[in-house]
Amino acid sequence: MSEEKLAFQAEVSRLLEIVAGALYSNKEIFLRELISNASDACDRLRYATLTQPELTAGSDPLAIEIHPDSAAGSLKISDNGIGMNHDDLVANLGTIARSGTAAFMAGLEQAKKENGQGAVNLIGQFGVGFYSSFMVADRVVVESRKAGDAQGWRWESDGKGGFTVAESDVAPERGTTITLHLKDEEKEYLDPLRLERIVRAYSDHIAVPIHLREPGKEEPRQLNSASALWTRPKSEITDDQYREFYHHTAHAFDDPWMKLHFQVEGLLSYAGLLFIPSQPPVDLFHPERRQHVKLYVKRVFITDDNEALLPPYLRFLRGIIDCEDLPLNISREMLQHSPVLSKIRGSVTKRVLDALEEKAEKKPDSYSAFWETFGGVLKEGLYEDHANRERLLRLARFRSTQGDGWTSLAEIKDRMKEGQKAFYFITGDSVETLRQSPQLEGFAAKDVEVLLMADPVDEFWVTAVGEVLGLPLKSVTRGGADLSGIAGKEKENEAGEKSATPEGFDALLAFLKLTLKDAVKDVRASERLESSAVCLVADEGDMDMHLERLLRQHKQLDQVSKRILEINAKHPVIERLAARVASDNGEGAGAAVEEAAWLLLDQARILEGESLPDPAKFARRLSDALARGLA
């Protein structure tokens, strides 16, 4: 086969532009990424040999080798793992095939704005750490032979737009050799002592031996301890080793927010080393909701995306679970229905929630930072995991109309007003927008705290839960807001008397109902409005307005429900309209009041974030009203 010239995927080209042109203080991480990839290749071969033992028959033990060549100005990193064929090289080294490309592109744009100082994070998070090679090399050659194949392949690129793939007769017997032709200013990475320091700092935890083959010496020497970190006693593991193991397993560059290292022995024996990141993974909200904790059986890697290992709402976890009680040749189908894995799932979930509860109690500020990052994911468990719902409700934190920080449901209950018999909440697209909602005015007047819910998942779990700490959850945008039983100051007029309904108000209500009968479900006086003239609410048995809007946006709902228009009897506009109707004895109020009715309805739609059914008519009515007012 002749040499094949191919272009990088657009995302790869843009990434390489940033990588090659940026100046990093930690360029040495390229070696960590290449060693991590080599380790993964060895893990995958070890798993493949469970069903195809001939793949490693008569071959050397799995290992990684680093070979600096000062004369050639090159650095080689070799492994005898699973290897790659032609299609693997094109897919793995020419594209970003992993899900979440849209998130990658958004992150790349942000990294570009920051003068490149964020692109390294994206490299690791997307599992494409290979591209970090171009921070130190101006040409990279990959020679690889897939285990069991007779033909080897050569991949080559200068990182400037494309690459070539061709057959190779010098590819290793099995595995991959990456040759970095170092830039003139990066020759420090040919120094054996420098390489040794990097490996010991970043890759000592790698379970595969890492050998350094020094020029002029016959035998390579091992640089790492090559033992599974999770099997070692906690007292023997440093914080740096834990951190680098997290970087390896998560393909991440942030420091972990929390770690859990445990060993369970008895009827069921397994070990775990889990981490909660401090930064959200790029695919955290991908629709497939895949988890990325690796499953090992007796130190043999099995899979890194088994959905039966942990519930989807804990998919932010990274790390490993190593089980002694599963067969090594277990299939993916068997994993989905394994009672052993089901017990591990329940036990590990409990352990994680225990750790979060302890952190929330002892370090509330740190826990708030965690909730800021992962709370939207953890809340998915409120409607998915009935068994742990009460624990998750205790862990949940919310924004509310009282202050800017996070607060718990127990704290909100302690602050409830006399006579309050429910938790009140409002859902929307952002906390800032929700704070301006007219539906909150009556609650604010009585100093009633309202939960501000801006995560999409909030629409679903509140319906599933229904009641918290013995009290119902009530939406402030649904049904009548009966606040009369809650203690608070009643508003008085300048004479010191309670405000009365203006003359003609009942007639105005009747007029509005008749005029808007085809557009709204009802028109009624509002107890929730103080300074705004109108607002829209859903009837008690109808779907919440924000939920309906979300479903329509995602093509899950076709019809638009009619809403109730609430009007504020104390608002000057409503008072004048009522006076106009009263002066006509409720009849012949005229076109001006009818036009005002439609303007009020459109105003309520705008406040609710709804699109107007006829923007042109709204603009005309508004212009006419302004003209009459100015006249």
Side-chain angles (χ1 to χ4, degrees):
M1 179 181 178
S2 60
E3 186 175 81
E4 184 179 3
K5 294 184 178 180
L6 298 168
F8 283 121
Q9 183 188 30
E11 290 86 348
V12 175
S13 294
R14 294 174 66 183
L15 173 62
L16 288 172
E17 288 177 10
I18 293 176
V19 168
L23 297 176
Y24 295 103
S25 59
N26 59 337
K27 287 184 181 181
E28 62 190 26
I29 59 92
F30 83 89
L31 187 58
R32 178 184 75 183
E33 290 299 299
L34 295 183
I35 290 174
S36 181
N37 290 346
S39 172
D40 288 345
C42 292
D43 279 344
R44 295 185 185 281
L45 177 63
R46 190 184 286 119
Y47 178 57
T49 57
L50 296 177
T51 54
Q52 297 175 277
E54 69 276 7
L55 293 180
T56 57
S59 63
D60 294 333
L62 294 173
I64 301 168
E65 184 172 288
I66 302 171
H67 180 201
D69 186 340
S70 298
S74 64
L75 178 67
K76 292 184 178 181
I77 297 92
S78 303
D79 69 74
N80 56 352
I82 192 70
M84 292 179 281
N85 58 24
H86 171 276
D87 292 345
D88 294 331
L89 287 168
V90 173
N92 296 339
L93 306 187
T95 65
I96 298 176
R98 204 173 138 180
S99 61
T101 302
F104 168 78
M105 293 300 293
L108 190 59
E109 289 299 327
Q110 183 61 32
K112 196 171 183 180
K113 291 177 182 177
E114 296 170 0
N115 197 28
Q117 298 302 312
V120 158
N121 294 338
L122 294 173
I123 294 172
Q125 288 174 343
F126 272 82
V128 288
F130 167 79
Y131 299 126
S132 61
S133 304
F134 290 97
M135 289 193 292
V136 297
D138 50 23
R139 186 163 63 95
V140 177
V141 177
V142 179
E143 291 172 310
S144 189
R145 191 191 308 267
K146 194 162 189 174
D149 286 3
Q151 182 60 58
W153 296 89
R154 175 188 175 96
W155 180 101
E156 184 173 350
S157 176
D158 61 3
K160 297 178 180 178
F163 58 92
T164 61
V165 180
E167 294 178 354
S168 172
D169 296 326
V170 297
E173 179 182 340
R174 181 197 70 232
T176 301
T177 296
I178 299 176
T179 303
L180 309 182
H181 294 273
L182 298 176
K183 300 174 184 177
D184 290 339
E185 64 272 21
E186 309 297 348
K187 296 298 173 63
E188 64 181 285
Y189 297 110
L190 297 174
D191 180 2
L193 291 178
R194 179 86 163 97
L195 295 171
E196 181 175 358
R197 284 196 297 271
I198 295 172
V199 170
R200 292 195 184 281
Y202 293 120
S203 306
D204 186 63
H205 61 273
I206 297 292
V208 179
I210 303 172
H211 297 135
L212 177 65
R213 183 175 293 277
E214 297 182 57
K217 295 185 179 180
E218 293 183 9
E219 293 296 324
R221 59 189 177 91
Q222 186 169 320
L223 301 181
N224 65 327
S225 57
S227 63
L229 192 74
W230 60 90
T231 64
R232 291 156 57 182
K234 298 178 186 178
S235 59
E236 296 180 4
I237 307 173
T238 67
D239 289 342
D240 286 343
Q241 288 173 319
Y242 275 126
R243 183 168 56 251
E244 291 311 321
F245 183 79
Y246 162 71
H247 291 159
H248 165 65
T249 56
H251 287 289
F253 287 76
D254 60 318
D255 288 341
W257 177 74
M258 185 171 72
K259 74 173 186 298
L260 291 86
H261 188 185
F262 51 88
Q263 292 188 344
V264 178
E265 296 181 352
L267 295 177
L268 191 62
S269 298
Y270 62 93
L273 180 49
L274 302 176
F275 301 89
I276 295 178
S278 55
Q279 299 295 324
V282 290
D283 60 350
L284 186 63
F285 290 101
H286 191 273
E288 293 181 358
R289 302 198 300 161
R290 289 179 177 174
Q291 65 92 1
H292 297 286
V293 171
K294 298 181 179 182
L295 175 64
Y296 283 72
V297 174
K298 300 177 179 69
R299 263 75 63 203
V300 176
F301 170 75
I302 302 298
T303 180
D304 61 358
D305 64 349
N306 182 259
E307 61 188 36
L309 187 58
L310 286 169
Y313 66 86
L314 293 181
R315 63 184 176 274
F316 51 80
L317 287 170
R318 296 295 186 265
I320 66 96
I321 299 290
D322 188 354
C323 181
E324 298 288 334
D325 301 302
L326 287 169
L328 278 170
N329 61 347
I330 190 167
S331 67
R332 182 176 290 270
E333 290 72 26
M334 291 170 63
L335 283 172
Q336 304 306 315
H337 307 288
S338 167
V340 171
L341 212 57
S342 179
K343 290 178 182 178
I344 291 176
R345 175 188 174 118
S347 177
V348 172
T349 298
K350 179 182 182 301
R351 192 179 293 271
V352 172
L353 297 183
D354 285 345
L356 289 175
E357 283 186 345
E358 182 179 1
K359 184 77 81 167
E361 179 182 351
K362 295 182 178 180
K363 296 185 177 180
D365 290 342
S366 178
Y367 182 76
S368 292
F370 158 80
W371 188 263
E372 181 85 43
T373 306
F374 297 113
V377 178
L378 205 63
K379 279 191 288 187
E380 294 174 12
L382 291 172
Y383 72 87
E384 292 179 341
D385 189 353
H386 187 272
N388 287 303
R389 180 174 291 170
E390 292 302 319
R391 301 193 69 188
L392 290 169
L393 284 170
R394 291 197 299 270
L395 287 169
R397 297 293 183 268
F398 301 92
R399 303 289 189 189
S400 80
T401 52
Q402 186 162 326
D404 296 324
W406 293 102
T407 187
S408 69
L409 290 168
E411 291 169 334
I412 293 173
K413 186 176 182 181
D414 289 342
R415 294 193 292 262
M416 281 186 175
K417 305 294 291 183
E418 181 183 347
Q420 185 176 342
K421 298 178 181 179
F423 286 98
Y424 293 102
F425 70 89
I426 183 171
T427 57
D429 296 325
S430 73
V431 170
E432 292 72 21
T433 301
L434 290 175
R435 290 189 189 277
Q436 307 303 318
S437 174
Q439 282 100 338
L440 297 179
E441 292 171 1
F443 295 87
K446 291 204 170 187
D447 198 27
V448 174
E449 190 169 3
V450 178
L451 284 73
L452 307 175
M453 299 185 179
D455 289 321
V457 69
D458 290 326
E459 294 286 2
F460 302 96
W461 75 260
V462 292
T463 304
V465 173
E467 184 176 289
V468 179
L469 300 178
L471 296 175
L473 284 159
K474 286 192 173 183
S475 171
V476 304
T477 65
R478 184 187 298 165
D482 184 7
L483 302 176
S484 58
I486 300 177
K489 284 187 71 175
E490 296 288 345
K491 291 233 172 173
E492 299 178 346
N493 57 26
E494 292 180 359
E497 301 171 346
K498 292 182 180 179
S499 300
T501 302
E503 182 183 357
F505 182 75
D506 291 337
L508 175 63
L509 271 181
F511 183 90
L512 294 177
K513 288 180 181 182
L514 184 63
T515 302
L516 303 175
K517 62 181 180 179
D518 294 328
V520 298
K521 194 170 188 177
D522 194 11
V523 182
R524 67 187 180 202
S526 178
E527 289 189 33
R528 77 189 80 218
L529 293 175
E530 292 291 329
S531 58
S532 297
V534 291
C535 72
L536 286 172
V537 297
D539 204 358
E540 191 66 51
D542 290 349
M543 186 181 296
D544 190 87
M545 291 189 295
H546 184 246
L547 174 58
E548 182 178 292
R549 188 160 64 248
L550 282 176
L551 293 176
R552 291 205 313 269
Q553 288 172 352
H554 290 84
K555 311 298 182 185
Q556 299 296 311
L557 195 66
D558 295 327
Q559 75 274 16
V560 178
S561 302
K562 288 185 178 180
R563 300 304 183 191
I564 295 171
L565 180 68
E566 290 194 355
I567 61 175
N568 180 4
K570 297 166 287 187
H571 194 278
V573 169
I574 302 301
E575 290 178 342
R576 291 182 184 180
L577 287 174
R580 171 71 70 89
V581 173
S583 66
D584 291 342
N585 296 319
E587 298 177 359
V593 179
E594 183 176 335
E595 291 288 280
W598 289 104
L599 276 174
L600 288 171
L601 176 58
D602 281 344
Q603 176 185 331
R605 287 167 172 158
I606 292 171
L607 286 171
E608 191 54 39
E610 298 281 353
S611 57
L612 299 181
D614 194 336
K617 279 188 177 180
F618 169 74
R620 178 184 58 76
R621 287 175 179 138
L622 183 60
S623 296
D624 290 347
L626 285 171
R628 287 194 299 271
L630 293 173

